[in-house]
Amino acid sequence: MTSDTILLIGRDTRNAHEVLEAHAERLRGRAIADAVEVATYESEPVRELRGRFERLSADEVYAVPMCTAHTHETINDIPSALSYVPGDVRYCEPLGQSPAVTEVIEERGADLIPPSEEVSLILVGFGSSSKPYHRQTVDYHAARLREQSAYGEVLTCYLLQNPTVECVRYNTTKTRSVAVPLFLARSEATESRIPDELELVRGGIEYADPYGEHARITDAVHAEVEKQRALSRADSAPTASFEGQLTQTRRPLATDGEGVPR
C-alpha cells in the first residue's frame, strides 16, 4: 500500500514554526495523509533541509511551500532540496491565490474595522523587483474583494515595488483605513518595516495581523493537496504543472558544496 506525507515548508521567522505546526496538527486531525510534517529553515534550504528530506520514508510527499507567492527560494532552493527526498514529490503551489485566503484577509480587516463605504482596505504585499508572482497574488485578492466586500475601496501596496507602502496613506480617499499584511507568519517585515512605512504612529490606519493559524489557511493547504492528488492520476502529472517542472529540473550544484553527482 502506498504511503503519503504532507510536508509543510517555510522560512523560520518569528513565529513561523508555531504557525506551521498549528496547521499540521489540524491536518493530522483530518487524517488526509499518513503523516504531516513541518520543515523550516533560516536561510539555506538545501544545506539545512537535506538531511531531514533524505530521511522521509513515504512513497509520495506532498510538499507545500507555506508562503503567499513564489520567491527565488520556492523556485530554486526548495525544489533543489526536495531532490533529496527518496519518494515521489508532488510540489504544490504556494497558498496565495486560494479563495480561502481572500476570506482570511477580509476577516482580518473586519476584526479591526467593520467593512463599510467609508473604509479603505489596504492590502500590503512583499513584492519583487523582478518576478510577477507577488503582484499577481495581491491583485487577485484585491479584485475579489472589490467585487464581494463592503469596503469603500481596496488599495494595494508593496515593500519592494510600486505602489509603495510608504505612499499608500496618501492614496486613500475614505475616512478610515485598515491595512492587512499578506503574510503567513510574523516577521521583521510585518512587525517593523510595514508599520514604519505605514507611519502607524500618525494614526488613521489600523493594522491587522498576518494570516497566522486561521483555520481557512488549513483549508487552503488541504485543497491544494487534493488538487495535486487529482493531477497525479493524470498522464504526465509530475511535469504537467509549473511546480512539477521545478522539481524535475532543479538540482543542487556540486560547486556549492551541497550538490552530488546523479
Side-chain angles (χ1 to χ4, degrees):
M1 182 176 178
T2 301
S3 61
D4 59 358
T5 290
I6 297 172
L7 178 64
L8 309 184
I9 308 170
R11 179 181 279 274
D12 193 9
T13 58
R14 296 193 179 186
N15 72 329
H17 191 82
E18 291 81 1
V19 169
L20 267 61
E21 282 290 354
H23 294 298
E25 188 60 29
R26 202 175 282 131
L27 290 165
R28 292 181 191 114
R30 298 182 184 187
I32 63 171
D34 296 307
V36 182
E37 298 194 20
V38 168
T40 57
Y41 60 91
E42 292 186 4
S43 59
E44 300 180 51
V46 176
R47 181 180 62 81
E48 297 173 47
L49 299 177
R50 172 181 173 177
R52 173 77 177 278
F53 288 177
E54 287 177 328
R55 294 190 295 272
L56 289 172
S57 59
D59 299 311
E60 293 184 342
V61 174
Y62 293 88
V64 185
M66 296 293 285
C67 55
T68 297
H70 274 305
T71 64
H72 173 82
E73 290 173 352
T74 66
I75 291 175
N76 296 284
D77 300 334
I78 291 176
S80 295
L82 288 169
S83 70
Y84 291 103
V85 173
D88 291 333
V89 175
R90 313 296 185 192
Y91 191 35
C92 301
E93 290 187 49
L95 304 177
Q97 293 192 36
S98 166
V101 174
T102 309
E103 297 176 25
V104 178
I105 295 169
E106 185 170 20
E107 185 175 316
R108 285 288 186 253
D111 286 343
L112 297 177
I113 305 178
S116 78
E117 281 296 322
E118 299 306 316
V119 178
S120 296
L121 175 64
I122 301 169
L123 309 189
V124 185
F126 197 79
S128 170
S129 60
S130 60
K131 300 186 184 303
Y133 308 113
H134 280 269
R135 181 181 289 277
Q136 289 170 352
T137 296
V138 176
D139 285 347
Y140 167 80
H141 294 297
R144 297 190 80 233
L145 288 161
R146 289 181 186 118
E147 289 180 0
Q148 66 189 37
S149 76
Y151 286 102
E153 65 182 356
V154 179
L155 304 175
T156 63
C157 61
Y158 305 89
L159 283 172
L160 297 183
Q161 65 188 96
N162 291 322
T164 62
V165 178
E166 61 191 10
C167 293
V168 73
R169 72 161 51 241
Y170 305 106
N171 296 329
T172 60
T173 64
K174 304 303 177 182
T175 57
R176 306 177 70 191
S177 299
V178 57
V180 181
L182 273 60
F183 292 74
L184 178 66
R186 298 182 186 279
S187 65
E188 187 272 338
T190 66
E191 303 304 288
S192 179
R193 290 181 63 187
I194 294 173
D196 287 348
E197 295 194 20
L198 285 173
E199 298 182 283
L200 295 181
V201 295
R202 290 178 55 186
I205 299 177
E206 298 293 332
Y207 184 57
D209 291 329
Y211 307 151
E213 300 176 11
H214 198 291
R216 291 294 280 147
I217 298 299
T218 310
D219 294 340
V221 177
H222 189 162
E224 177 61 20
V225 170
E226 292 302 331
K227 183 184 81 175
Q228 293 300 326
R229 278 202 175 115
L231 288 174
S232 71
R233 302 186 187 102
D235 292 339
S236 303
T239 58
S241 67
F242 174 66
E243 288 73 22
Q245 293 173 25
L246 292 177
T247 54
Q248 292 294 311
T249 60
R250 298 300 193 269
R251 293 290 185 271
L253 300 175
T255 54
D256 67 8
E258 299 295 338
V260 294
R262 285 177 175 256

